[in-house]
């Protein structure tokens, strides 16, 4: 099999700069305005001969996560159009968010200079007055300086979508810590986005990413809670995913959709499984049950490349640990392939280290090692019983039958069994294919089944569901090879994703504590393996003593950069109260967000499309694209790039020299190109000097074909890109051992539960339900929300619209014109029972099953068949509490964040937020607007 890369037509006729004279006269004569030219003709003096300077500038979208390249049409330093970059081999157009950002650029309600709060209590809309940048930097430094001197943990940095990390994470935060000491609390927004699945996958694999389908070669695609035609994914933009999926479908790929709402992907699917929200874990456990029962097991993958054959103690003080030889490597220090893990060698009839049973050539997809997945006799190591991890898993899922799962998921047992069997059949276990790699024919496993997901992991059992969801991939060997699910990254294997969990598992006294450094609780017993706790932070700030914060929130400060937790995180009432506890809040934002309006002491205006930032890397199935996000026009008003803002703050705090040092390092600036002082450093100058972002990237994106060795880890080179001392490719073609059995989670979970029992007593599990879920094999438990009273008989979930990006687009007038209202979606059967019809106004009340708190909102009903009975859905994106007057009439929709909650019972072990809650719906009276 040879994988062909299709050629893509490019726009060769675009001139970078064209001067048109008397352009407006011609446009007026024909009645046609080209771009914004007619606007300019109307501003000229009568009889004046006008000149129009028309320029095409390559840049990149600043609002979305995929950094899609765009071409800006600029007329006399005014952007009049944003369109897809024609020379980008990765994207297939841009979504409405990218094209609409021209409205953000010229929004009359953009913040035009620094603002200082002069009135209004925290938690109320503030009154602000303009100040100079010099005054802002001086006063902010006067607030933050003493805190940093006393304890850097008093200063927190909250980032939204991480883009220009060189300026803030690698620059400002690093400079502060070098100057004042480590401890600045940094948190992202991932746990209201998609880190739930990444946390589990990175511990079972070795790359912090999400599974992606190999659409070119997949025969059966399981679409889990993900709207492929509108949602985008970890690496590809909305339009590219849609095109690749459509092409795969046209080529015969079968699609099964696991989602309570059919949405856009539904029309492309052969099987729709309208699952009960929050029960995905049960579905995947049952799927594994069927695969094992039917014998769909890839012995080559499991035996050679995973710890499935490794022997696990089932008794004694080491119960739950993998048995190791006396001279085995330290499992804490060697996290990718720990030598000395014991297996039963079927050929030799004895217990030996795993390495001794492997084929001579790990890249031979037909050579199966001699380690046993099942053993018929009793085995002991050091007098204690041991069994292969695979055997323990078979026993673990034996009771998780499709009939059992049907009662939980509300899916027919026969449908669960049918989809699982199709998965096993389509995987073609044992099949291989030959590909051409740099002129050499290579034979690799061929497993044409794949899965993709994204925000669906944001549920109470989300990371655990991901853990269970990986097992059907493992069982048939459908990972990181042709046709299978892949992470998309090549900067893996990465041991950093496993190291801290290993330490917490094997050395809890040293690695675990009840004393957090900040309100994200990361690394403590509360959330030992977490990522930012965006949604949890307000709850912790409201209860600092309960969570042992090192300082009272009133003695702490938070810099909020391109984030809006008061609108983008769940339970906006709790978020407003929480962030109001901070003594000082600095918002870096182009707009007066809810977070800025209600909690900020200073608002620093940054840029939108008029942004210089850094290089952007796009990736599709076939190509890489590199580009630079540069401002197509001079920056407007007194707005500044984040890099220039953090430069001023670093300098005012006495960390300017360190900031320059870290920026030089981040942008690979050396010798004459390196900046010597803060005064010389600007973002634009940095991009001009950097070898990574030279003039060729300013003129347009540079696309190159993606090598097959970087598309499939199964084709990973032995040493060309990898450090042989870290990645042991002599044992595994993947460079590491897949964790079929998550030993570190099993031990960590035991440590955590013992700690909670000692600290909280017998009620620990009731207060912190998620501590039950940190286990070596995923196991089912009922979601906490099911404990709400019977009258809360519907489950609310949210979903993404192509027009909006959480709260970052709520103020955009063009997007609100396209999607002015978030309807409450409901099945006709439920609507009839409640006595409401399409367009009616309804009142929704949610219930927190742990605290008993309730929350309400009203919205207009949309009745449709394509949503599961017993559920309602509201998309996120609309209705910020502080509104721009020019979009107020359009931004009419309900925001489900008013109904969700972020307390225990509504978050996972990784602190990822659950966007599920039980609700009651009643008529509100009156027709919809």
């Amino acid at each position: 099999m040879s994988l062909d890369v299709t050629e893509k037509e490019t726009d060769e006729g675009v001139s970078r700069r064209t001067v048109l004279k008397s352009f407006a006269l011609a446009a007026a004569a024909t009645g046609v305005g080209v771009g914004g030219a007619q606007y300019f003709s109307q501003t000229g003096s009568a009889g004046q001969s006008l000149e129009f300077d028309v320029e095409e500038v390559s840049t990149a979208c600043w609002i979305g996560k995929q950094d899609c390249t765009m071409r800006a049409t600029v007329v006399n330093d005014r952007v009049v159009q944003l369109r897809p970059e024609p020379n980008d081999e990765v994207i297939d157009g841009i979504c409405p968010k990218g094209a609409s950002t021209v409205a953000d650029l010229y929004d009359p309600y953009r913040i035009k200079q620094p603002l200082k709060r002069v009135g209004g209590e925290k938690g109320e809309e503030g009154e602000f007055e303009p100040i100079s940048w010099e005054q802002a930097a001086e006063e902010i430094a006067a607030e933050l300086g003493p805190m940093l001197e006393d304890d850097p943990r008093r200063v927190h940095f909250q980032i939204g979508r991480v883009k220009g990390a060189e300026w803030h994470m690698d620059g400002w935060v690093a400079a502060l810590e070098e100057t004042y000491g480590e401890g600045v609390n940094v948190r992202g927004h991932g746990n209201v986005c998609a880190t739930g699945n990444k946390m589990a996958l990175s511990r079972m694999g070795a790359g912090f990413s999400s599974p992606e389908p190999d659409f070119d070669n997949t025969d059966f695609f399981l679409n889990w809670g993900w709207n492929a035609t509108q949602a985008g994914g970890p690496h590809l933009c909305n339009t590219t995913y849609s095109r690749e999926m459509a092409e795969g479908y046209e080529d015969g790929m079968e699609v099964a959709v696991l989602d309570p709402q059919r949405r856009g992907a539904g029309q492309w699917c052969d099987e729709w499984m309208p699952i009960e929200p929050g029960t995905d874990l049960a579905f995947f456990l049952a799927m594994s049950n069927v695969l094992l029962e039917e014998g769909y097991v890839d012995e080559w993958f499991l035996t050679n490349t995973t710890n499935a054959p490794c022997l696990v103690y089932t008794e004694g003080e080491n119960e739950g640990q993998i048995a190791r030889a006396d001279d085995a490597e330290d499992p804490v220090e060697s996290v990718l392939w720990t030598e000395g893990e014991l297996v039963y060698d079927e050929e030799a009839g004895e217990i030996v280290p795993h390495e001794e049973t492997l084929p001579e050539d790990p890249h031979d997809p037909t050579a199966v090692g001699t380690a046993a997945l099942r053993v018929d006799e009793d085995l002991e190591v050091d007098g204690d019983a041991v069994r292969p991890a695979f055997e323990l898993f078979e026993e673990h899922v034996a009771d998780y039958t499709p009939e059992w799962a049907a009662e939980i998921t509300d899916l027919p047992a026969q449908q669960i069994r049918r989809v699982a069997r199709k998965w096993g059949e389509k995987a073609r276990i044992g099949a291989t294919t030959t590909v051409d790699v740099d002129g050499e024919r290579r034979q690799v496993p061929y497993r044409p089944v794949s899965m993709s997901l994204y925000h669906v992991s944001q549920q109470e059992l989300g990371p655990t569901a991901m853990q269970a969801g990986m097992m059907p991939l493992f069982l048939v060997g459908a990972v990181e090879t042709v046709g299978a699910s892949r992470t998309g990254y090549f900067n893996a294997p990465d041991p950093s994703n496993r190291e801290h969990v290993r330490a917490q598992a094997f050395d809890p006294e040293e690695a675990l504590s009840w004393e957090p450094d900040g309100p994200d609780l990361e690394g403590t017993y509360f959330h030992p393996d977490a990522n930012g706790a965006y949604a949890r932070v307000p709850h912790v700030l409201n209860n600092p003593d309960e969570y042992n914060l090192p300082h009272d929130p009133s003695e702490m400060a938070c810099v909020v950069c391109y984030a809006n937790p008061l609108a983008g995180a769940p339970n906006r009432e709790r978020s407003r109260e929480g962030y109001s506890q901070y003594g000082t809040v600095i918002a870096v934002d182009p707009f007066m967000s809810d977070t800025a309006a209600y909690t900020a002491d200073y608002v620093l205006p940054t840029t939108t499309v008029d942004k210089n930032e850094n290089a952007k890397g796009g990736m599709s199935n076939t190509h890489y694209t590199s580009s630079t996000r540069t401002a197509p026009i001079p920056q407007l008003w007194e707005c500044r790039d984040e890099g220039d803002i953090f430069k001023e703050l670093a300098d005012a705090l006495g960390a300017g020299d360190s900031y320059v040092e870290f920026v030089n390092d981040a942008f690979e600036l050396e010798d004459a190109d390196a900046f010597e002082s803060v005064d010389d450093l600007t973002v634009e100058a940095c991009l001009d000097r950097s070898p990574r972002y030279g003039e060729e990237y300013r003129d347009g994106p540079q696309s190159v074909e993606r090598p097959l060795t970087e598309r499939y880890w199964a084709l990973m080179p032995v040493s060309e890109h990898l450090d042989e001392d870290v990645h042991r490719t002599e044992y595994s073609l993947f460079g590491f051992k897949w964790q079929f059995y998550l030993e570190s989670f099993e031990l960590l979970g035991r440590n955590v539960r013992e700690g909670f029992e000692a600290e909280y007593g017998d009620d620990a599990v009731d207060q912190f339900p998620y501590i039950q879920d940190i286990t070596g094999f995923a196991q089912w438990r009922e979601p906490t929300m099911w404990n709400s009273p019977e009258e809360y008989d519907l489950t609310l979930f949210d979903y993404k619209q192509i027009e909006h990006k959480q709260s970052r687009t709520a103020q955009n007038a063009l997007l609100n014109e396209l999607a002015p209202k978030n309807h409450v979606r409901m099945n006709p059967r439920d609507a009839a029972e409640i006595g409401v019809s399409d367009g009616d106004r309804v009142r929704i009340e949610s219930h927190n099953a742990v605290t008993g708190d309730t929350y309400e909102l009203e919205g207009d009903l949309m009745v449709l068949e394509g949503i599961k009975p017993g559920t309602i859905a509201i998309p996120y994106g609309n209705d910020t509490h502080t509104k721009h007057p020019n979009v107020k009439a359009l931004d009419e929709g309900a925001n489900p964040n008013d109904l969700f909650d972020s307390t225990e019972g509504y978050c996972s072990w990784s602190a990822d937020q659950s966007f599920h809650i039980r609700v009651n719906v009643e008529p509100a009276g009156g027709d919809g607007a």
Side-chain angles (χ1 to χ4, degrees):
M1 174 183 174
S2 178
L3 303 180
D4 296 326
V5 177
T6 58
E7 296 296 326
K8 184 176 179 180
E9 294 183 5
T10 60
D11 184 352
E12 301 292 346
V14 177
S15 172
R16 176 150 176 88
R17 179 174 288 269
T18 306
V19 178
L20 305 177
K21 296 182 182 293
S22 302
F23 183 84
L25 296 178
T30 61
V32 177
V34 181
Q38 204 163 27
Y39 165 84
F40 289 99
S41 70
Q42 294 167 358
T43 61
S45 301
Q48 180 182 358
S49 178
L50 302 178
E51 292 188 358
F52 296 93
D53 192 351
V54 181
E55 186 177 8
E56 299 284 344
V57 182
S58 183
T59 185
C61 177
W62 72 277
I63 198 70
K65 63 186 173 185
Q66 268 95 31
D67 302 313
C68 296
T69 54
M70 300 191 299
R71 185 160 291 213
T73 301
V74 181
V75 179
N76 288 3
D77 284 336
R78 185 178 179 92
V79 178
V80 298
Q81 183 189 50
L82 294 169
R83 60 188 177 90
E85 169 57 59
N87 295 314
D88 189 336
E89 299 285 354
V90 168
I91 69 169
D92 290 281
I94 56 176
C95 73
K97 293 187 292 295
S100 74
T101 54
V102 68
D104 295 327
L105 184 62
Y106 297 114
D107 191 320
Y109 296 96
R110 267 186 69 174
I111 301 171
K112 300 175 177 62
Q113 64 187 103
L115 302 176
K116 176 183 178 179
R117 179 184 286 262
V118 294
E121 295 292 326
K122 289 288 189 73
E124 300 176 358
E125 265 193 275
E127 298 174 7
F128 295 84
E129 69 176 12
I131 59 174
S132 67
W133 279 103
E134 292 74 18
Q135 180 182 346
E138 181 181 338
E139 293 187 8
I140 291 171
E143 294 273 354
L144 270 56
M147 297 185 193
L148 291 164
E149 287 282 1
D150 175 65
D151 186 348
R153 295 181 301 174
R154 292 176 62 184
V155 174
H156 305 164
F157 182 66
Q158 173 80 64
I159 185 68
R161 176 65 62 186
V162 177
K163 291 185 179 292
E166 297 92 336
W167 305 110
H168 40 70
M169 308 280 278
D170 302 334
W172 189 65
V173 173
L176 292 185
E177 293 196 325
E178 182 172 87
T179 304
Y180 294 98
E182 294 185 355
V184 175
N185 185 250
V186 179
R187 50 185 188 262
H189 88 295
N191 57 39
V192 296
C193 180
T195 60
N197 70 80
K198 296 179 182 180
M199 298 293 283
L201 176 56
S202 62
R203 279 52 171 171
M204 301 177 79
F208 193 71
S209 185
S210 300
E212 294 185 347
D214 179 13
F215 280 130
D216 282 359
N217 303 287
T218 289
D219 289 339
F220 183 52
F221 169 46
L222 178 58
N223 182 336
W224 173 22
W226 169 63
N227 185 355
T229 61
Q230 288 196 353
H235 304 107
L236 301 179
C237 69
N238 304 54
T239 54
T240 303
Y241 255 134
S242 301
R243 189 262 302 165
E244 290 191 351
M245 180 178 173
E247 289 176 348
Y249 194 72
E250 290 171 357
D251 289 340
M253 175 183 73
E254 294 186 56
V255 178
V257 172
L258 185 69
D259 194 323
Q261 187 175 203
R262 197 176 71 179
R263 298 192 286 175
Q267 67 190 49
W268 302 98
C269 76
D270 302 280
E271 187 114 24
W272 177 36
M273 295 176 281
I275 190 169
E276 176 65 27
T279 67
D280 310 272
L281 170 57
F283 171 84
F284 286 115
L285 289 171
M287 191 173 177
S288 289
N289 174 287
V290 174
L291 292 171
L292 290 169
E293 182 183 284
E294 302 282 342
Y296 292 114
V297 175
D298 185 346
E299 293 193 8
W300 175 88
F301 176 77
L302 293 171
T303 301
N304 294 2
T305 71
T306 80
N307 65 2
C310 294
L311 300 175
V312 180
Y313 287 104
T314 58
E315 63 181 14
E317 63 179 11
N318 294 321
E319 183 178 355
Q321 288 192 37
I322 291 175
R324 294 178 172 85
D326 292 338
D327 60 348
E329 288 182 297
D330 186 334
V332 177
E333 296 178 1
S334 178
V335 296
L336 291 178
W337 188 290
T338 304
E339 291 183 350
E341 294 180 334
L342 299 178
V343 300
Y344 182 76
D345 188 333
E346 286 186 300
E347 193 172 274
E350 60 183 3
I351 295 174
V352 300
H354 193 185
E355 296 76 35
E356 296 181 14
T357 68
L358 298 175
E360 183 176 341
D361 179 9
H363 290 82
D364 183 350
T366 65
V368 180
T370 56
L373 294 175
R374 305 178 182 89
V375 179
D376 294 331
E377 59 186 284
D378 294 334
L379 300 178
E380 291 186 353
V381 173
D382 297 330
D384 289 326
V386 293
R387 295 174 65 190
F390 182 83
E391 199 173 280
L392 293 176
F393 181 68
E394 280 190 306
E395 184 177 288
H396 177 72
V397 299
D399 293 332
Y400 292 137
T401 64
E403 289 71 24
W404 165 85
E407 295 294 322
I408 295 170
T409 62
D410 204 23
L411 297 173
Q414 61 267 32
Q415 185 180 42
I416 298 173
R417 184 169 274 109
R418 179 174 62 249
V419 170
R421 283 174 174 165
K422 182 173 290 186
W423 179 272
E425 292 167 1
K426 292 286 187 178
R428 300 174 63 172
I429 295 171
T432 63
T433 187
T434 303
V435 296
D436 191 319
V437 181
D438 299 328
E440 176 189 354
R441 302 300 289 176
R442 295 269 302 272
Q443 190 179 23
V444 292
Y446 177 51
R447 302 289 182 271
V449 294
S450 63
M451 177 177 71
S452 192
L453 70 151
Y454 213 52
H455 293 107
V456 71
S457 62
Q458 302 311 116
Q459 50 180 284
E460 185 189 4
L461 301 175
T464 310
M466 181 72 252
Q467 189 180 348
M470 285 300 296
M471 294 311 249
L473 293 166
F474 280 9
L475 289 174
V476 301
V479 290
E480 300 294 350
T481 193
V482 177
S485 285
R486 304 159 301 154
T487 65
Y489 285 149
F490 185 64
N491 60 342
D494 182 359
S496 66
N497 294 314
R498 294 181 176 183
E499 288 171 336
H500 67 282
V501 182
R502 284 285 201 179
Q504 292 164 343
F506 287 93
D507 192 9
E509 291 186 3
E510 182 67 26
L512 285 175
S513 168
W514 289 105
E515 306 297 328
D517 289 331
D520 61 5
L521 308 179
E522 187 172 343
T524 66
Y525 275 99
F526 294 109
H527 290 292
D529 190 23
N531 183 48
Y534 188 114
R536 294 277 283 139
V537 163
H539 176 57
V540 176
L541 291 170
N542 291 332
N543 301 276
D545 294 337
E546 180 178 338
Y547 296 98
N548 308 316
L549 289 189
H551 300 280
D552 188 84
S554 64
E555 300 172 352
M556 299 188 291
C558 185
V559 177
V560 183
C561 181
Y562 265 126
N564 188 13
L566 267 66
N571 199 300
R572 298 198 286 183
E573 181 178 317
R574 196 183 304 279
S575 295
R576 186 191 303 193
E577 180 185 354
Y579 277 83
S580 297
Q581 308 296 321
Y582 274 117
T584 303
V585 174
I586 299 100
V588 181
D589 204 292
F591 302 102
M592 184 62 74
S593 67
D594 287 9
T595 305
Y598 288 110
T599 69
D601 298 278
Y602 297 90
V603 186
L604 306 181
T606 186
T607 46
T608 62
V609 179
D610 51 331
K611 181 184 295 296
N612 297 294
E613 195 166 57
N614 56 3
K616 299 292 129 189
M619 178 170 62
S620 70
N621 196 39
T622 58
H623 281 79
Y624 292 127
T625 287
S626 297
S627 62
T628 303
R629 180 179 286 118
T630 53
I633 60 172
Q635 289 176 345
L636 300 175
W637 303 295
E638 293 184 40
C639 303
R640 293 186 178 182
D641 291 321
E642 292 97 284
D644 292 328
I645 292 173
F646 287 109
K647 175 194 77 170
E648 295 295 334
L649 295 181
D651 191 36
L653 285 163
D657 291 342
S658 294
Y659 184 82
V660 172
E661 177 185 337
F662 283 112
V663 168
N664 281 335
D665 183 62
F667 286 93
E668 302 174 6
L669 302 179
E670 298 177 347
D671 303 325
D673 288 330
F675 292 97
E676 296 183 357
S677 70
V678 169
D679 295 335
D680 296 333
L681 174 62
T682 66
V683 177
E684 190 170 11
C686 183
L687 297 182
D688 286 337
R689 297 186 187 188
S690 174
R692 288 193 288 152
Y693 321 129
E695 186 62 31
E696 60 179 341
Y697 297 102
R698 302 292 192 94
D699 289 339
Q702 305 296 305
S703 296
V704 296
E705 185 177 325
R706 185 177 175 189
L708 292 183
T709 53
E710 299 184 16
R711 286 172 61 180
Y712 309 106
W713 288 4
L715 292 171
M716 188 179 291
V718 173
S719 61
E720 182 181 353
H721 297 288
L722 302 176
D723 182 347
E724 288 184 283
D725 294 333
V726 175
H727 307 297
R728 300 178 180 278
T729 50
E730 67 267 31
Y731 295 145
S732 165
L733 72 169
F734 300 106
F736 65 98
K737 187 183 295 188
W738 294 93
Q739 301 297 287
F740 180 88
Y741 168 62
L742 263 173
E743 176 194 33
S744 56
F745 273 17
E746 180 69 23
L747 302 181
L748 171 58
R750 184 181 310 164
N751 295 338
V752 167
R753 287 185 288 276
E754 289 176 356
F756 268 91
E757 184 177 353
E759 190 76 11
Y760 288 90
D762 295 338
D763 296 332
V765 169
D766 293 334
Q767 294 183 58
F768 301 90
Y770 60 80
I771 65 175
Q772 303 169 82
D773 306 326
I774 312 174
T775 55
F777 294 131
Q779 61 186 31
W780 170 254
R781 70 171 173 88
E782 291 189 352
T784 302
M785 65 178 173
W786 287 6
N787 294 326
S788 287
E790 291 182 0
E791 60 264 31
Y792 298 94
D793 55 349
L794 300 172
T795 300
L796 166 68
F797 64 95
D798 70 354
Y799 64 96
K800 174 179 166 50
Q801 299 180 103
I802 194 172
E803 295 89 358
H804 284 293
K805 187 65 185 172
Q806 293 173 326
S807 64
R808 287 189 292 278
T809 56
Q811 84 293 327
N812 187 291
L814 295 179
L815 292 176
N816 277 313
E817 191 169 347
L818 288 174
K821 182 182 295 187
N822 283 356
H823 286 90
V824 179
R825 295 190 172 192
M826 177 182 287
N827 187 274
R829 187 188 313 172
D830 295 323
E833 289 182 3
I834 296 169
V836 291
S837 303
D838 193 74
D840 284 353
R841 192 78 172 169
V842 293
R843 183 190 63 82
I844 308 111
E845 180 179 86
S846 65
H847 179 268
N848 183 315
V850 177
T851 66
D853 293 336
T854 61
Y855 302 94
E856 291 186 11
L857 64 73
E858 289 189 2
D860 293 339
L861 190 66
M862 177 187 290
V863 176
L864 72 166
E865 294 283 353
I867 185 171
K868 182 189 180 301
T871 70
I872 66 169
I874 306 175
Y876 56 79
N878 289 59
D879 187 36
T880 57
H881 285 165
T882 54
K883 300 176 180 176
H884 296 188
N886 66 328
V887 298
K888 185 175 181 180
L890 291 173
D891 186 12
E892 300 169 332
N895 188 321
N897 281 336
D898 282 332
L899 297 172
F900 295 122
D901 213 333
S902 57
T903 59
E904 285 80 11
Y906 294 87
C907 66
S908 71
W909 54 257
S910 60
D912 280 87
Q913 171 62 34
S914 174
F915 290 97
H916 293 156
I917 198 166
R918 298 290 281 179
V919 299
N920 171 269
V921 179
E922 296 178 350
D927 295 331

